[in-house]
Amino acid sequence: MSSLYDRIGGSYGATRGQDPRIAALINEALGDARSVVNVGAGTGAYEPTDREVLAVEPSETMIAQRPPRSAPVIRASAESLPLGDGAFDAALAVNTVQHWTDLRAGLRELRRVARKRIVIFLRDAKSGSPFWLTEDYLPSLDPSRRISAIVEAIQDELRPVRALPVRLPRDCVDGLFTAYWGRPEMYLDSEVRRNISNFALAREHDLAEGLASLRADLESGAWERKYGHLRSLPELDLGHRLLVAELA
C-alpha cells in the first residue's frame, strides 16, 4: 500500500477531499467513541474533528499532504500497529482495507486496539446498482470478486457486522472511483484518474481502449441515450457500505 500511494498520491489532495455527507455518516457510525485510531488514514479526509484522533499511515507521500492542523500521525502499517491493547474507543478504516497486504492480520489488529467498535468504509461492488463504467467500458476494473472476499473476511473476523448503505451524491466532492457516476466526462480527465487507485492498477491497454470507447459514446450521444437519466438523480447506491462491528 505504501509504495502504491508513494507513486500515485502526489496530488491526492487535489481531487480527494472530504465529502461532508459521507463524513456525517461515518461520524454517526462512530457513535459515542471519544478516541479514534484512523488506520490507513491517508490525508485524513474523514477524520472527525470533535474527538481524540490518532492517524496511522504507511506512505510518507500521503503524510506530507495532511493539513497543518490535522490529527497527529504515525507511520506504520495496519498489520502491525504500534499501539497498546484497547488503546482507543474505536478503530476507523476508510477506503483502505483492499490495499492491505494481510487483510486478516490487519482486521485482528483493529480488534486488538479498539475497545468499543470498528468502522470500515468500502465499496461492495455486488451490492447496489451496477456501475456503467465497469459494466460497459472497463470490465477489468470491476472489483466484485475481490471485494466480496474482503467483505466475507471482515464478517468472519469481526462478527457480528452491520452493513449501513452510503448513497453517493451526484456532486460528490471526494473523487473516488465511482464519484462521477452522473458526470461521465470527468473520467476522461487524467488528473482525476491519477488519484484513483483503480486506474493506477489497471493495464494500460485496457484503460486506453475503455476510455476511447467512453469518449466516442459521449461524442456520439450513445452514453446519453443509455445513461442520461443518471444526470438528474440526486444520489445513487453503488454499493458503498459502512461495516460496523460492536465490540462491547
Side-chain angles (χ1 to χ4, degrees), residues 191-226:
E191 187 68 9
V192 166
R193 297 195 308 272
R194 179 184 175 186
N195 298 320
I196 299 174
S197 61
N198 307 67
F199 291 111
L201 297 170
R203 294 188 294 269
E204 284 190 24
H205 176 268
D206 291 346
L207 187 57
E209 191 174 72
L211 292 175
S213 180
L214 174 58
R215 186 185 300 275
D217 280 1
L218 287 170
E219 291 174 353
S220 71
W223 188 94
E224 204 72 31
R225 288 189 291 274
K226 188 171 183 180

Side-chain angles (χ1 to χ4, degrees), residues 58-135:
S59 167
E60 288 282 12
T61 299
M62 301 299 279
I63 291 174
Q65 295 178 76
R66 293 175 61 82
R69 290 183 294 277
S70 61
V73 59
I74 58 174
R75 188 179 183 194
S77 66
E79 297 85 353
S80 182
L81 298 175
L83 304 168
D85 295 357
F88 292 84
D89 288 335
L92 175 65
V94 176
N95 288 326
T96 180
V97 294
Q98 67 272 23
H99 299 304
W100 295 356
T101 54
D102 187 334
L103 174 64
R104 288 184 180 266
L107 294 173
R108 289 167 187 158
E109 282 290 84
L110 297 187
R111 177 183 283 278
R112 182 181 66 79
V113 302
R115 291 188 293 268
K116 289 187 173 183
R117 68 185 53 86
I118 297 168
V119 177
I120 298 172
F121 180 55
L122 52 68
R123 176 175 176 245
D124 181 357
K126 287 192 173 181
S127 300
S129 301
F131 185 30
W132 56 263
L133 185 64
T134 52
E135 290 285 303

